[in-house]
């Protein structure tokens, strides 16, 4: 099965796409789309990769699984579709950006495509979900696929900034080579945990300083 994904990622992940684990996952996902309401729309599943080619990745933010309410998920972690009000975690991300960088954010707008186009890979660990059923596609093979993505980034690139928010992302990031990449960890931006270290973490300014130090353009958060 030919996977419709941006060509630099196709090349990097080509071997993985031939594995039986991938074929099993692809069969499961296809069946789910045919028999249930699944988010995001099939054409958006690989948006993180299509907006941020392998060669352009500078920053990686790791989420868990897509939003499961109608009209939200579009293939970028923490992001919602244009004109959709930011969910609570994204509002807290905006608050931290305002506090860290003094940038005024628009709380009516939660589409982070502009970050993706600047080289921020907005990677969920699981790329699909059933409507109103959080975590419904966990444990089906997406986690192995996204581990492979992280492994390839860690091995083949240098001087990336990985932002790991919450225990799930920290565990996911255990395979990153910290001798050649910046790894920033904090609590999750969810209202339940943001006060335990996400607020005040200054990950956005730290990331930009690191990029600048390595002669890369800063992200316009």
């Amino acid at each position: 099965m030919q996977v419709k994904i941006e060509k630099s990622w196709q090349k990097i992940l080509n071997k993985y796409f031939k594995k039986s684990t991938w074929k099993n996952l692809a069969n499961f996902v296809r069946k789910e789309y045919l028999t249930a309401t699944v988010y995001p729309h099939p054409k958006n599943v690989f948006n993180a990769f299509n907006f941020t080619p392998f060669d352009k990745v500078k920053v990686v933010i790791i989420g868990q699984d897509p939003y499961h309410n109608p009209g939200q998920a579009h293939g970028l972690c923490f992001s919602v579709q244009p004109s959709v009000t930011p969910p609570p975690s994204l509002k807290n991300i905006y608050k931290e950006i305002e506090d860290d960088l003094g940038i005024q954010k628009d709380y009516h707008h939660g589409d982070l495509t502009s970050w993706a186009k600047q080289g921020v890979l907005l990677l969920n660990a699981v790329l699909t979900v059933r409507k109103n059923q959080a975590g419904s596609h966990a444990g089906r093979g997406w986690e192995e696929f996204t581990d492979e993505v992280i492994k390839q980034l860690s091995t083949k690139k240098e001087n990336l900034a990985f932002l790991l928010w919450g225990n799930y992302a920290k565990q996911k990031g255990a395979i990153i080579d910290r001798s050649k990449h910046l790894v920033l960890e904090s609590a999750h931006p969810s209202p339940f945990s943001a006060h335990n270290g996400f607020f005040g973490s200054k990950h956005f300014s730290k990331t930009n300083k690191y990029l600048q130090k390595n002669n890369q353009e800063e992200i316009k958060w």
Side-chain angles (χ1 to χ4, degrees):
M1 182 188 79
Q2 180 65 27
V3 182
K4 287 182 181 169
I5 194 170
E6 190 275 333
K7 62 180 184 299
S8 65
W9 283 108
Q10 179 72 54
K11 195 174 163 188
I12 290 288
L13 298 168
N14 195 34
K15 273 188 190 157
Y16 194 84
F17 289 141
K18 290 178 175 150
K19 289 188 169 187
S20 59
T21 45
W22 171 260
K23 286 169 186 160
N24 294 339
L25 169 64
N27 288 336
F28 164 75
V29 171
R30 196 181 297 111
K31 198 178 284 181
E32 282 286 283
Y33 272 107
L34 291 171
T35 57
T37 302
V38 174
Y39 300 130
H41 187 282
K43 72 178 190 324
N44 293 329
V45 169
F46 292 113
N47 269 354
F49 304 90
N50 296 334
F51 285 130
T52 316
F54 185 82
D55 340 336
K56 304 281 189 224
V57 177
K58 299 194 283 191
V59 181
V60 182
I61 299 178
I62 298 175
Q64 198 155 349
D65 68 342
Y67 296 120
H68 53 82
N69 293 326
Q72 291 185 317
H74 65 135
L76 305 173
C77 74
F78 293 105
S79 179
V80 286
Q81 295 184 46
S83 77
V84 176
T85 306
S89 290
L90 183 51
K91 282 183 180 166
N92 286 338
I93 290 169
Y94 280 3
K95 281 180 195 165
E96 177 59 19
I97 290 171
E98 288 183 339
D99 185 57
D100 185 10
L101 299 171
I103 296 169
Q104 186 64 46
K105 298 301 295 178
D106 179 0
Y107 284 80
H108 298 100
H109 167 83
D111 180 5
L112 304 181
T113 304
S114 68
W115 294 8
K117 288 179 175 175
Q118 294 176 74
V120 182
L121 183 69
L122 294 165
L123 181 68
N124 272 320
V126 174
L127 300 191
T128 53
V129 69
R130 272 192 182 204
K131 178 184 178 181
N132 299 333
Q133 293 180 43
S136 47
H137 285 185
R140 294 291 188 157
W142 278 127
E143 294 91 344
E144 289 86 345
F145 168 71
T146 48
D147 277 350
E148 178 68 14
V149 169
I150 293 165
K151 191 172 88 182
Q152 292 291 343
L153 286 164
S154 175
T155 307
K156 295 199 164 99
K157 291 182 76 81
E158 288 182 359
N159 305 324
L160 297 179
F162 288 86
L163 277 48
L164 309 180
W165 301 333
N167 290 333
Y168 185 88
K170 289 174 195 173
Q171 287 164 10
K172 190 94 179 150
I175 54 177
I176 300 161
D177 182 348
R178 292 164 195 240
S179 68
K180 53 192 273 211
H181 301 291
L182 174 70
V183 178
L184 298 173
E185 298 184 347
S186 78
H188 194 276
S190 144
F192 302 107
S193 55
H195 290 280
N196 296 332
F198 177 76
F199 289 139
S201 62
K202 303 205 177 299
H203 281 187
F204 303 98
S205 60
K206 286 174 182 172
T207 295
N208 277 352
K209 277 177 194 149
Y210 181 77
L211 292 175
Q212 210 175 27
K213 192 181 88 178
N214 290 290
N215 304 312
Q216 297 192 75
E217 211 172 314
E218 296 182 348
I219 306 297
K220 293 181 178 72
W221 301 104

